[in-house]
């Protein structure tokens, strides 16, 4: 079992420290776990809300509106379910020592990018190339 890394509440990863040192890894681990817990809590709230709001609405327009809202909420939850899987994958990469490195080039992903999108698997340059190729193939 690895010793717990001390992290100040106001800690932010900095470019002048070794890349993906124990403090940075702990910072991103906590950030990912907090994000995951928020998503799961929202999902629980949605489920409870849907259970409570199941009712028969006589007005067709009101019923259609509620069904549209419900479908939108379910689509949002589905996206968040996929996001939880990406968060879990990022946590595995932390445990395996692969977190913070581009899966395409092997180069470090910038700390700013990881702070903004902690589930990132590609550097900004690799992501842009990927999106350009995707756009070209989609136009075919």
């Amino acid at each position: 079992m690895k010793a717990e890394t001390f992290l100040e509440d106001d800690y932010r990863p900095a470019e002048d420290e070794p890349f993906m040192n124990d403090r940075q890894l702990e910072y991103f681990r906590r950030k990912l776990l907090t994000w995951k817990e928020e998503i799961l809590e929202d999902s629980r709230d949605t489920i409870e809300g849907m259970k409570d709001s199941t009712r028969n609405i006589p007005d067709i327009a009101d019923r259609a509106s509620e069904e549209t809202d419900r479908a939108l909420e379910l689509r949002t939850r589905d996206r968040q379910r996929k996001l939880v899987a990406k968060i879990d994958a990022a946590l595995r990469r932390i445990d395996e020592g692969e977190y913070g490195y581009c899966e395409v080039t092997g180069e470090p992903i910038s700390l700013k990018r990881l702070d903004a999108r902690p589930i990132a698997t590609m550097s900004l340059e690799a992501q842009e190339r990927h999106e350009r190729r995707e756009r070209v193939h989609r136009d075919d």
Side-chain angles (χ1 to χ4, degrees):
M1 177 99 189
K2 194 173 133 180
E4 187 171 331
T5 303
F6 175 74
L7 209 56
E8 302 89 3
D9 290 338
D10 63 345
Y11 173 79
R12 292 287 177 265
E15 298 290 338
D16 63 349
E17 58 185 330
F19 187 71
M20 287 302 126
N21 62 54
D22 288 344
R23 293 176 67 197
Q24 287 181 355
L25 289 171
E26 185 61 24
Y27 171 82
F28 287 112
R29 175 181 281 113
R30 290 181 187 183
K31 185 173 186 121
L32 288 160
L33 288 170
T34 300
W35 191 14
K36 180 180 176 179
E37 186 53 42
E38 288 170 0
I39 291 170
L40 294 175
E41 189 173 312
D42 286 348
S43 292
R44 285 189 290 271
D45 292 346
T46 298
I47 290 168
E48 288 303 314
M50 287 184 151
K51 284 180 185 175
D52 294 342
S53 71
T54 302
R55 60 185 199 251
N56 188 10
I57 302 172
D59 183 63
I60 293 173
D62 289 344
R63 190 176 326 147
S65 177
E66 184 161 310
E67 287 299 319
T68 301
D69 291 347
R70 191 178 283 245
L72 179 61
E73 187 68 32
L74 289 172
R75 264 196 317 273
T76 300
R77 291 298 154 233
D78 187 49
R79 271 192 223 107
Q80 288 184 333
R81 179 186 53 78
K82 292 174 185 171
L83 187 55
V84 167
K86 289 180 180 183
I87 292 170
D88 287 339
L91 290 167
R92 273 192 305 280
R93 286 193 306 278
I94 288 174
D95 292 340
E96 294 166 0
E98 298 171 1
Y99 184 79
Y101 295 91
C102 179
E103 66 182 10
V104 175
T105 65
E107 295 293 316
I109 299 172
S110 76
L111 291 173
K112 286 182 182 178
R113 177 163 169 73
L114 287 171
D115 206 25
R117 185 149 179 87
I119 58 172
T121 59
M122 289 187 255
S123 66
L124 189 56
E125 298 79 18
Q127 183 69 41
E128 288 172 346
R129 280 193 307 272
H130 172 74
E131 288 174 4
R132 275 195 301 274
R133 277 193 308 270
E134 203 173 65
R135 201 174 7 248
V136 168
H137 293 300
R138 187 176 58 219
D139 293 340
D140 290 347

